[in-house]
Amino acid sequence: MANEPSTTLTDLSQHGCFGGSVGIYSHPSEQCQCTMKFAVFVPPQAQIKPVPVLYYLSGLTCTEENFITKAGAQRYAAQHGLMLVAPDTSPRGEDVPDEEGWDFGSGAGFYVDATENPWTQNYRMYSYVTEELPTLIHQNFAADPARQGIFGHSMGGHGALVCGLRNPEKYQSISAFAPIAAPSRCVWGQKALGKYLGPDESTWAAYDASELVRQKAQTNRHILIDQGLADPFLEQQQLKPEVFKTTCEEVGQPLTLRMQSGYDHGYYFIATFMEDHVRHHAEVLCG
């Protein structure tokens, strides 16, 4: 049931999975000015009719393959008839600027549209995720453009919250695992936003979920967040879910924040609560 396929899409691998298929694809990106990759799980229901799409944004150092191989989401997506799409976390390539260190540059696009040189030409992950990638998915797969959700982990949880809050007409459901919920107030976020967007902190608010909610960039959809209490980055004050929770309470943004005892920041934590998150999205998208 796919639309007319795009000639710019390269099929890198295919694997049968829970009655559907997992594919890894690449394409030349207009937004990022390089070759980008993404993973897609197509559920068996897509053989009959277009299905809702759930986008997953991964965290620091990850690629398009971490989620699709580790999270165990395909089983639940197949049950509900949801397509899963997981893009890479940044532009990559010999001509793409990078910086030493794991928390900025390659693998660390932070889902922003950079405005500072030398990052501005390639690091446009916000527009890639919200505009270019969905267009490509709808052109090549049996995806329903009217039913989209978004979720993610850590840096990707930050990206999911930002994309969802700024585009309520595009995403009908939002959730996150251990998101960087107030990047303007943590070391990771201050480094990334400062380098990608410049020293004027007023420009950072557009990519800070807590500030977006404070400025009434809200959605009437209920947001679900899971956070492990044994997460070392929670103790290091990199995530700050309490800031997001307080702000949501102040302005009336519906939120469920679950603090999970004994769970850390990794994919064992994500896999444990994945069924809940897929169900959270399916209740909205599959109706």
Side-chain angles (χ1 to χ4, degrees):
M1 289 286 298
N3 297 325
E4 186 68 25
S6 168
T7 57
T8 63
L9 193 63
T10 300
D11 185 340
L12 300 177
S13 68
Q14 289 290 325
H15 310 275
C17 187
F18 292 103
S21 64
V22 168
I24 307 294
Y25 303 88
S26 67
H27 72 103
S29 169
E30 293 184 7
Q31 289 290 346
C32 298
Q33 293 294 298
C34 67
T35 297
M36 292 293 292
K37 294 181 181 180
F38 60 89
V40 180
F41 170 68
V42 179
Q45 294 86 341
Q47 298 175 23
I48 301 170
K49 61 182 180 179
V51 297
V53 186
L54 182 53
Y55 292 88
Y56 181 90
L57 306 183
S58 290
L60 287 163
T61 75
C62 290
T63 70
E64 71 285 349
E65 294 198 53
N66 292 75
F67 164 77
I68 212 71
T69 58
K70 294 181 178 180
Q74 293 94 315
R75 176 190 296 273
Y76 311 118
Q79 291 172 359
H80 293 287
L82 285 169
M83 185 177 296
L84 300 172
V85 177
D88 198 353
T89 54
S90 77
R92 301 178 193 267
E94 292 183 2
D95 297 328
V96 175
D98 192 14
E99 185 173 287
E100 289 187 9
W102 58 274
D103 57 354
F104 186 81
S106 182
F110 267 84
Y111 305 101
V112 305
D113 284 351
T115 57
E116 295 293 298
N117 290 323
W119 318 106
T120 182
Q121 179 175 344
N122 303 103
Y123 286 78
R124 296 185 52 80
M125 289 299 296
Y126 173 79
S127 289
Y128 177 75
V129 166
T130 60
E131 297 175 14
E132 185 175 5
L133 182 59
T135 297
L136 198 63
I137 295 300
H138 300 145
Q139 288 175 344
N140 290 275
F141 301 92
D144 184 349
R147 293 184 292 167
Q148 297 187 137
I150 192 164
F151 67 151
H153 168 233
S154 194
M155 177 186 72
H158 139 75
L161 293 175
V162 167
C163 292
L165 289 167
R166 287 180 59 174
N167 300 277
E169 75 289 351
K170 292 185 178 181
Y171 305 104
Q172 289 77 51
S173 57
I174 309 169
S175 75
F177 297 93
I180 304 173
S184 297
R185 307 189 191 190
C186 73
V187 174
W188 281 346
Q190 290 165 353
K191 177 179 179 178
L193 298 179
K195 287 179 174 288
Y196 286 136
L197 304 178
D200 182 359
E201 295 186 16
S202 66
T203 65
W204 300 2
Y207 298 103
D208 185 314
S210 295
E211 292 301 319
L212 286 170
V213 169
R214 190 182 308 280
Q215 295 176 8
K216 305 298 177 66
Q218 297 166 247
T219 172
N220 60 1
R221 299 299 186 185
H222 205 112
I223 298 173
L224 171 64
I225 293 178
D226 273 305
Q227 171 63 61
L229 283 171
D231 187 332
F233 301 120
L234 180 67
E235 183 178 351
Q236 294 171 22
Q237 297 292 309
Q238 297 283 20
L239 306 176
K240 298 188 177 292
E242 72 284 354
V243 174
F244 187 68
K245 179 183 179 182
T246 298
T247 307
C248 286
E249 290 172 345
E250 290 174 352
V251 302
Q253 167 63 54
L255 170 70
T256 295
L257 171 61
R258 308 191 304 186
M259 306 300 287
Q260 305 288 5
S261 179
Y263 290 92
D264 58 22
H265 198 71
Y267 268 89
Y268 296 118
F269 155 63
I270 294 170
T272 300
F273 300 103
M274 181 56 66
E275 183 176 10
D276 293 349
H277 281 250
V278 173
R279 184 188 306 114
H280 167 81
H281 291 276
E283 287 175 353
V284 176
L285 301 176
C286 299

